[in-house]
Amino acid sequence: EAGVTQFPSHSVIEKGQTVTLRCDPISGHDNLYWYRRVMGKEIKFLLHFVKESKQDESGMPNNRFLAERTGGTYSTLKVQPAELEDSGVYFCASSEHRGNYGYTFGSGTRLTVV
Amino acid sequence: QKEVEQNSGPLSVPEGAIASLNCTYSDRGSQSFFWYRQYSGKSPELIMSIYSNGDKEDGRFTAQLNKASQYVSLLIRDSQPSDSATYLCAAGGGGSQGNLIFGKGTKLSVKP
């Protein structure tokens, strides 16, 4: 089975620009999560989709971040306008079951804002 | 603030030895605990999950959970150079939402 796919793998943008990250979960996985790791910090939860609905977006840092999952398949995470502190690695993960089970991570998108 | 604490290391062990990795968590409501292995530049890979007090063994890996002490550990027996990686401890955030709280990770180096 194909894993969780994320692209781009790397993105370098200037402060104030817009970037859109995409995540394709494992087929059939209703639960999709976004996480972020800022350099020197731990991986932190951003939000959780169940199908196309946002189940929990308590980790979203501010309203410059917009996540969508139209049709309950792939998801996008848009940062607009990007700030320097948004630099980090953005991971997507998916799972078949809701609840506290381990899940499969994608390879991540390394975002650098200059 | 819910937290998971890990010693950042690096932890260095000789090949064939037992590597012991530890973490503590702050949220008593956490019910599930996970160990992820992350090679440099790669995504975290789930290697162990544990939900009940006691030990859980899977091959060379043993996870241990003590909810009273809010302590989770991972033992790696017969450590191999290929085990060299960063090991992330994560706790289920409580409830049924599924979000995880991660520690910063412990870097393990297994010397041939």
Side-chain angles (χ1 to χ4, degrees):
Chain A
E1 108 187 315
V4 177
T5 305
Q6 290 186 249
F7 48 90
S9 57
H10 293 84
S11 180
V12 180
I13 62 171
E14 292 184 351
K15 176 181 172 181
Q17 288 186 321
T18 297
V19 63
T20 300
L21 314 180
R22 173 167 168 153
C23 168
D24 286 68
I26 292 172
S27 178
H29 281 194
D30 288 342
N31 295 277
L32 186 149
Y33 307 85
W34 283 98
Y35 283 80
R36 176 175 75 170
R37 185 166 197 167
V38 173
M39 186 176 290
K41 302 285 189 179
E42 68 274 19
I43 296 174
K44 282 200 168 180
F45 169 77
L46 296 178
L47 87 159
H48 170 203
F49 282 100
V50 177
K51 297 185 180 179
E52 68 276 5
S53 299
K54 292 177 185 175
Q55 185 70 29
D56 180 357
E57 52 185 327
S58 60
M60 295 287 266
N62 51 60
N63 59 10
R64 296 186 293 101
F65 289 75
L66 175 64
E68 295 181 322
R69 193 182 181 194
T70 306
T73 55
Y74 71 90
S75 175
T76 57
L77 179 65
K78 181 190 286 188
V79 185
Q80 179 183 30
E83 298 289 345
L84 298 178
E85 64 264 25
D86 301 332
S87 296
V89 181
Y90 290 76
F91 289 106
C92 175
S94 73
S95 68
E96 184 176 0
H97 302 288
R98 187 191 306 202
N100 289 317
Y101 300 97
Y103 33 65
T104 304
F105 279 89
S107 55
T109 294
R110 181 174 295 277
L111 174 65
T112 303
V113 182
V114 296
Chain B
Q1 182 83 0
K2 299 175 183 177
E3 292 182 334
V4 172
E5 299 286 343
Q6 293 181 257
N7 187 324
S8 61
L11 173 66
S12 184
V13 301
E15 183 174 356
I18 296 175
S20 177
L21 305 161
N22 309 306
C23 87
T24 58
Y25 60 95
S26 64
D27 181 15
R28 285 197 172 272
S30 295
Q31 296 295 318
S32 54
F33 304 89
F34 307 91
W35 284 98
Y36 283 83
R37 178 177 62 199
Q38 187 175 24
Y39 293 111
S40 181
K42 302 295 185 182
S43 60
E45 173 193 8
L46 179 66
I47 55 171
M48 288 289 286
S49 59
I50 187 165
Y51 305 94
S52 304
N53 278 330
D55 296 359
K56 179 182 177 182
E57 186 174 319
D58 183 0
R60 296 186 296 111
F61 299 99
T62 298
Q64 299 174 316
L65 173 61
N66 183 324
K67 290 185 178 180
S69 300
Q70 295 176 242
Y71 176 88
V72 191
S73 67
L74 178 71
L75 300 178
I76 306 174
R77 290 181 299 281
D78 187 24
S79 295
Q80 301 297 310
S82 59
D83 294 326
S84 298
T86 296
Y87 289 80
L88 304 170
C89 176
S96 61
Q97 299 309 313
N99 57 298
L100 299 181
I101 299 165
F102 282 86
K104 290 184 179 181
T106 298
K107 188 170 184 177
L108 172 66
S109 177
V110 181
K111 303 294 186 184

